[in-house]
Amino acid sequence: MVNVSETLLELEERGWQALSAAGGADFYQHILTDDAVMVLPFGTLERDACVESIRQAPPWASYEIADPKVVMLGHDSGLITYRAEAQRPGEPTYRAMMTSVYVTRGGHWRLALHQQTPLMTA
């Protein structure tokens, strides 16, 4: 039997790996649902705008996922929430609480919503 918690954590890791390389936009083009929404510190992006934003952003040099927690919302949907730290070359470390909601579509897990809340630094 498939462990959904492990699957969702693996998908989130694969997303960060893609964002840390040249293939981030291609990964998200594939995994986002048609009606996906990303709620980011600067605003909300729908699917196509999100993919284009990823295509134009420089890759992350490093990232860390900490304290992940998976909550099942039903037999075909779940969310993962965690604290993330990531850094791009020459930029300060980005720290945020993140939540991603996944749903099954066509027998595969797809990302329907991703939300980031930046953490205040002292």
Side-chain angles (χ1 to χ4, degrees):
M1 181 165 200
V2 175
N3 183 321
V4 175
S5 293
E6 289 178 11
T7 299
L8 297 186
L9 182 55
E10 178 187 329
L11 287 171
E12 205 68 12
E13 281 280 353
R14 286 177 51 205
W16 276 102
Q17 290 168 359
L19 293 171
S20 299
D26 294 336
F27 177 82
Y28 282 94
Q29 179 81 34
H30 173 74
I31 199 166
L32 290 171
T33 61
D34 290 342
D35 56 352
V37 176
M38 294 228 174
V39 182
L40 304 169
F42 58 84
T44 301
L45 297 176
E46 293 181 359
R47 183 183 195 283
D48 292 342
C50 174
V51 171
E52 187 56 32
S53 177
I54 292 168
R55 191 176 317 284
Q56 294 180 19
W60 293 100
S62 64
Y63 72 90
E64 179 181 349
I65 293 174
D67 304 322
K69 180 179 180 181
V70 174
V71 177
M72 292 307 299
L73 302 173
H75 71 282
D76 62 353
S77 60
L79 69 82
I80 181 169
T81 186
Y82 58 95
R83 189 177 70 251
E85 288 192 9
Q87 189 167 29
R88 289 186 169 114
E91 294 184 16
T93 300
Y94 178 63
R95 294 176 177 88
M97 294 302 300
M98 303 207 176
T99 301
S100 293
V101 177
Y102 289 89
V103 297
T104 54
R105 300 269 169 93
H108 300 284
W109 287 101
R110 300 288 183 235
L111 182 59
L113 175 107
H114 177 76
Q115 184 269 331
Q116 299 179 9
T117 304
L119 294 170
M120 304 301 273
T121 56

